[in-house]
């Protein structure tokens, strides 16, 4: 799939005010500064569609971008930003969990993980929370340009193995990306295209009279 149109639609703090269309939606989530907004710009081939910053805590709202006029990409605030106050940390947490609990259109979350770091409890706990809430997700390793190919292979495998050693029965789909070098986007988009197709082919079950 190629992205031929990408438009900013709306920013919200209130999940109930997010677009209400029955089209598939995908959300990028992860620690502050992991590269969520940059990855949206990279796969859309846009420079400033989503706002990015070298300082963590840039994205503070739920941002909806309509892609190819037929599905949504959502840029969320990051979790685990240490320098915000406890109150605003709690507010972000609440915004994020409410978003995932309420968005019926969400087909899959993409949990972004900086390829350079060892598995962090905050990410593992967040994925566990997604699992217990039956929210499908895939992992997207970011900033691959900062590591050599051998290290990328080793670290991504070790990460998935760590998940399998803990509660997970199977490895989630995972992708390796660099927004700087614009790599990994094609694979990610092919995966989304497949999910879009599944979404659009969902059979409407007939209601059964008993
Ligand atoms: P918050 O909105 O604060 O949660 O952060 P975010 O996850 O949206 O991160 P953002 O896209 O704003 O990027 C954070 C920093 O990482 C910026 O300085 C980006 O230039 C840098 N960055 C993002 N992706 C990459 C990448 O693939 N490679 C490299 N080298 N830097 C990246
Ligand atoms: Mg951001």
């Amino acid at each position: 799939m190629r992205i031929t149109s990408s438009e900013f639609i709306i920013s919200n703090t209130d999940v109930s005010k997010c677009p209400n269309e029955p089209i598939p939606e995908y959300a990028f989530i992860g620690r502050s500064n992991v590269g969520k907004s940059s990855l949206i710009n990279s796969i859309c081939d846009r420079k400033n569609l989503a706002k990015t910053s070298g300082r963590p805590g840039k994205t503070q709202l739920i941002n909806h971008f309509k892609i190819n006029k037929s599905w949504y990409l959502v840029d969320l605030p990051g979790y685990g930003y240490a320098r915000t106050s406890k109150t605003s940390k709690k507010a972000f947490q609440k915004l994020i969990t409410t978003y995932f609990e309420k968005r019926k259109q969400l087909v899959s979350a993409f949990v972004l993980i900086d390829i350079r770091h060892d598995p962090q409890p905050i990410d593992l706990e967040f994925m566990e929370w997604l699992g217990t809430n039956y929210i499908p997700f895939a992992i997207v390793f970011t900033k691959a340009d900062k590591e050599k190919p051998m290290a990328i292979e080793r670290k991504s495998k070790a990460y998935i193995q760590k998940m399998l050693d803990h509660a997970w029965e199977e490895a989630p789909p995972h992708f390796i990306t660099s927004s700087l070098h614009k790599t990994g986007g094609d694979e990610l988009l092919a995966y989304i295209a497949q999910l879009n197709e599944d979404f659009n082919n969902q059979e409407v079950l007939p209601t059964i009279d008993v």
Side-chain angles (χ1 to χ4, degrees), residues 1 20 22 39-40 75 78 92 130 134 155 159 161 206:
M1 173 171 54
N20 192 17
L39 188 60
I40 288 181
D75 192 16
F92 279 151
L130 288 174
Y134 303 103
K155 286 180 176 230
Y159 201 104
Q161 191 55 50

Side-chain angles (χ1 to χ4, degrees), residues 93-104:
Q93 199 73 23
K94 182 87 193 125
L95 183 65
I96 292 167
T97 51
T98 311
Y99 169 84
F100 283 108
E101 283 164 354
K102 295 266 153 74
R103 284 306 275 178
K104 297 273 177 274

Side-chain angles (χ1 to χ4, degrees), residues 21-25 66 69-72 105-107 199-200:
E21 287 165 87
I23 62 174
E25 178 163 314
K66 202 169 199 178
K69 305 200 186 297
S70 57
W71 52 279
Y72 279 114
Q105 300 91 330
L106 186 83
V107 174
F199 182 96
N200 294 325

